[in-house]
Amino acid sequence: MDAAHCYLEGNADAVEFCPHEPYANLLAASTYTLQEGDCPSRSGSVYLFDVGDVEDVCLNLIQKIDTAGVFDIRWSRGGDGGGNVALAQADADGCLRVYKIDETEVKGYSLREVSGEKISSSMCLCLDWDPSSTSIVVGLSDGSASVVTFTDSNLETVQEWKGHDFELWTASFDLNNPNLVYTGSDDCKFSCWDIRDSPADNRVFQNSKVHTMGVCCISPNPSDPYCLFTGSYDETLRVWDTRSVSRPVNETSVSLGGGVWRIKHHPSLTGVVLAACMHNGFAIAKVSDGKGEVMESYNKHESLAYGADWYRGKDQKRSVVATCSFYDRLLRLWMPKTDLST
């Protein structure tokens, strides 16, 4: 069921609900727009919305921050509601930026940049926070990855290594062991690195045979320390057991009919994921007991499906989803028609 929609001023590529109380009603969205010509430029914005109450969902724009073209945004994993909740941004200028939430009298909340560092001459394509939200891994357009610490509002690069041959579209910390980082790239390789020492010399594994096209997304399962999902341009959602990575758990690989750009696990239902499927809209899939199936498809966007996330408020009586698409600049809030708990 459609709840609300709006059009952004640039090409929409990411949406992220804040996972922390009392900010669960805050939704961040980002854009990336390439201005071609003799002097090409890559511009973007970060938007902050208040979506209201889950029973009466809306899109109330609080703030728009103009910046370089944004490829990815992520809220910090750890937060005590006392000013430690942060939003990180990876952008086309090779910069990593971090915002924190300020309370204001007029609109309630706003984002304030507390740190920004140019960490590479290449573009920053993706990012992820470690479980304690004290480090950020960033994937770069030259195939490298960087680990950047975030302490006392300061960013410092502590590791950088060339892990892939082409663009590194996805990087993710292991949720149970922050010394492990997973990466995926246009070179079709899915890798894991130990970052305690020189990561380039401490590759835990690399699989280059299963994904037939570039790896776009890696999403560890928060309910299973040995399980993670990957998405690829080859249109397949794959489920892996990290104790045996020569091949995925084939019985639970699901064809989604479009490049799987982003995967988000449901905040309370184990095995239920939301996927952004590029040319084929959005899908909700369920993986359990060695089987995978598409529960619902959502095709009310008219362009590349890139951004997707679940509302994560603790007083949630029904699932709420935010999705965005690229060239039509459309942001939507909707509720799945399917009973996802069955």
Side-chain angles (χ1 to χ4, degrees), residues 84-148:
N84 290 329
V85 176
L87 179 74
Q89 161 193 320
D91 69 37
D93 282 354
C95 291
L96 177 64
R97 302 187 185 277
V98 179
Y99 305 90
K100 287 196 173 181
I101 298 172
D102 283 342
E103 295 192 25
T104 64
E105 293 183 4
V106 178
K107 291 193 173 183
Y109 301 110
S110 67
L111 293 173
R112 171 177 54 91
E113 184 176 328
V114 296
S115 190
E117 291 290 337
K118 185 174 179 66
I119 64 169
S120 177
S121 59
S122 298
M123 294 185 290
C124 296
L125 302 181
C126 61
L127 67 92
D128 188 40
W129 294 85
D130 76 340
S132 64
S133 294
T134 56
S135 293
I136 302 170
V137 60
V138 182
L140 304 173
S141 58
D142 68 352
S144 299
S146 292
V147 174
V148 182

Side-chain angles (χ1 to χ4, degrees), residues 69-331:
V70 181
F71 282 101
D72 200 9
I73 51 174
R74 294 291 174 99
W75 293 101
S76 56
R77 297 188 188 275
D80 59 7
N84 290 329
V85 176
L87 179 74
Q89 161 193 320
D91 69 37
D93 282 354
C95 291
L96 177 64
R97 302 187 185 277
V98 179
Y99 305 90
K100 287 196 173 181
I101 298 172
D102 283 342
E103 295 192 25
T104 64
E105 293 183 4
V106 178
K107 291 193 173 183
Y109 301 110
S110 67
L111 293 173
R112 171 177 54 91
E113 184 176 328
V114 296
S115 190
E117 291 290 337
K118 185 174 179 66
I119 64 169
S120 177
S121 59
S122 298
M123 294 185 290
C124 296
L125 302 181
C126 61
L127 67 92
D128 188 40
W129 294 85
D130 76 340
S132 64
S133 294
T134 56
S135 293
I136 302 170
V137 60
V138 182
L140 304 173
S141 58
D142 68 352
S144 299
S146 292
V147 174
V148 182
T149 59
F150 179 65
T151 53
D152 299 325
S153 296
N154 293 315
L155 293 168
E156 180 182 0
T157 301
V158 293
Q159 296 280 10
E160 182 171 346
W161 71 100
K162 176 83 173 195
H164 293 272
D165 300 323
F166 303 113
E167 289 89 343
L168 202 157
W169 290 120
T170 180
S172 179
F173 278 99
D174 187 282
L175 296 182
N176 298 279
N177 183 353
N179 295 315
L180 299 181
V181 165
Y182 303 101
T183 58
S185 166
D186 244 12
D187 61 11
C188 306
K189 295 174 182 177
F190 161 46
S191 305
C192 179
W193 314 86
D194 188 327
I195 62 170
R196 281 173 290 191
D197 201 359
S198 174
D201 300 323
N202 286 281
R203 190 174 68 198
V204 179
F205 69 75
Q206 184 174 84
N207 186 300
S208 59
K209 298 179 180 179
V210 171
H211 299 94
T212 60
M213 300 179 73
V215 182
C216 311
C217 181
I218 298 171
S219 183
N221 184 346
S223 302
D224 184 339
Y226 301 111
C227 175
L228 56 79
F229 291 43
T230 61
S232 169
Y233 288 124
D234 65 16
E235 306 184 353
T236 301
L237 170 72
R238 293 179 174 88
V239 183
W240 300 78
D241 185 327
T242 56
R243 295 166 295 187
S244 177
V245 294
S246 60
R247 61 182 178 83
V249 183
N250 288 322
E251 295 82 357
T252 52
S253 296
V254 185
S255 177
L256 295 181
V260 185
W261 183 257
R262 202 172 293 271
I263 302 165
K264 292 296 184 68
H265 294 269
H266 193 281
S268 60
L269 299 175
T270 300
V272 176
V273 296
L274 170 68
C277 306
M278 297 184 72
H279 293 284
N280 199 36
F282 300 87
I284 297 173
K286 186 174 184 178
V287 175
S288 63
D289 299 326
K291 296 180 180 179
E293 62 175 339
V294 175
M295 304 179 72
E296 184 171 336
S297 296
Y298 186 82
N299 293 294
K300 295 191 177 181
H301 291 260
E302 296 181 358
S303 181
L304 292 170
Y306 275 152
D309 201 14
W310 303 96
Y311 170 80
R312 299 176 187 276
K314 61 183 179 182
D315 296 325
Q316 186 174 353
K317 296 179 181 178
R318 56 182 173 177
S319 296
V320 178
V321 171
T323 52
C324 71
S325 44
F326 198 64
Y327 292 114
D328 60 359
R329 305 181 172 188
L330 180 59
L331 169 63

